[in-house]
Amino acid sequence: MISRSRTVSLLALGAICLSGCASEPPPVQKLKPLALKEQASNIVKSADGYAVNWAGVLSNANPWHFGEHVVATIVGHDAKGAEVVRMDQPLDAVPPGGSLAFTGQASAAVKPAKVTIQYRPAQWRPAARIASAFQRFPISRVQTLRQKDGSYLITGYVGNPYQLSASSLVVNALLRDKAGKLLGGGSTFVDDVKAGRPPRFILTVSGLPAGAKVDRTEITARTWGSTGRPFEDLALAGAVPIHTVKPTTEPFVVDRSTAIVSEHKE
């Protein structure tokens, strides 16, 4: 038989343990950093020096968080290692479990021998919806036409799968060779994109390496801005139903599934 004093001591010890356990902070979720999956840069002579063009793809492996306020830093060095160009490029938010294609251009007085792309760590914000709710903006009727000066003219249409109108979207074009290697890219904007009324986009990609053979063009569209709020607002408003056209054929006189079940019972 346990004495009353020992019982009181055990209860007090249990209360201390429970209070101590309750005060412990919950484990912090470890988020994976953004990964620069691909990068390419090209340098062409210009009227005032050299034009440095670049393209890259950032990947977000976290399915529940937006990567926000990301800044890419593009640095070019000459053959002796001296820095001849540096540019900070604010990027749009990287969606949960998705990727971000980006392109840019800067001028340099001296020709860089090497160009590298780095980026600052993202600020993470939990998304209000699961990753599958953030649907891609459909791209259609894409044409890639090589021009006489070696540049590429790219046209197409970008759609909106959401019920809410997208005020501004960024369209990126990445050009790849037969092996899938990234050669370069370009970007443009389209405004007021409504469901069912895809606007046309036109952009030019120049400065590709001499002799580069473009095999395919990869087009993506995204919301504009350093935070994921615009994309999140579209997802929260809901997607447009896939089947919106009323059937035009007459219904069956007898429901075939009902007839099959009746025959089975007999």
Side-chain angles (χ1 to χ4, degrees):
M1 182 176 179
I2 301 176
S3 63
R4 184 174 180 278
S5 60
R6 177 171 291 183
T7 301
V8 172
S9 299
L10 290 173
L11 290 174
L13 181 61
I16 293 172
C17 179
L18 288 174
S19 63
C21 294
S23 63
E24 292 182 1
V28 179
Q29 182 181 5
K30 292 185 179 180
L31 298 174
K32 298 179 181 179
L34 296 175
L36 185 61
K37 294 174 57 179
E38 298 176 279
Q39 60 175 306
S41 60
N42 300 297
I43 303 161
V44 294
K45 190 75 175 68
S46 63
D48 55 350
Y50 295 89
V52 182
N53 304 284
W54 63 83
V57 179
L58 276 175
S59 177
N60 180 7
N62 303 293
W64 299 100
H65 291 75
F66 276 100
E68 300 183 332
H69 303 290
V70 184
V71 178
T73 301
I74 295 83
V75 181
H77 295 87
D78 63 13
K80 296 181 179 180
E83 184 178 297
V84 294
V85 62
R86 171 180 288 267
M87 180 176 178
D88 289 335
Q89 180 185 13
L91 302 180
D92 299 321
V94 190
S99 60
L100 175 78
F102 62 95
T103 66
Q105 181 176 310
S107 298
V110 179
K111 183 179 181 179
K114 183 180 180 182
V115 177
T116 59
I117 302 175
Q118 301 174 344
Y119 64 93
R120 300 174 191 171
Q123 297 180 22
W124 299 106
R125 184 176 63 81
R129 298 292 302 274
I130 60 175
S132 60
F134 299 97
Q135 299 184 29
R136 293 186 177 184
F137 297 93
I139 307 296
S140 61
R141 292 177 280 176
V142 176
Q143 287 188 319
T144 303
L145 303 174
R146 191 178 189 278
Q147 306 300 294
K148 293 181 178 180
D149 61 356
S151 64
Y152 287 83
L153 178 68
I154 302 166
T155 64
Y157 293 81
V158 55
N160 181 3
Y162 302 100
Q163 298 186 37
L164 192 66
S165 174
S167 59
S168 184
L169 296 179
V170 186
V171 179
N172 278 282
L174 300 182
L175 302 184
R176 300 181 181 277
D177 63 13
K178 192 173 183 179
K181 180 183 177 181
L182 179 61
L183 299 174
S187 61
T188 188
F189 289 87
V190 288
D191 298 324
D192 193 24
V193 184
K194 295 182 174 65
R197 297 172 56 186
R200 187 174 186 235
F201 65 83
I202 302 174
L203 62 89
T204 301
V205 178
S206 59
L208 295 185
K213 295 183 178 180
V214 175
D215 181 71
R216 61 187 174 93
T217 304
E218 185 178 292
I219 308 291
T220 57
R222 64 174 187 271
T223 53
W224 178 81
S226 60
T227 75
R229 293 292 184 187
F231 202 178
E232 201 166 53
D233 289 343
L234 293 174
L236 289 172
V240 175
I242 298 176
H243 302 291
T244 57
V245 180
K246 188 177 181 179
T248 56
T249 57
E250 293 293 331
F252 291 114
V253 178
V254 179
D255 190 332
R256 295 175 63 183
S257 62
T258 305
I260 293 172
V261 171
S262 300
E263 292 175 1
H264 179 72
K265 287 183 179 179
E266 292 176 0

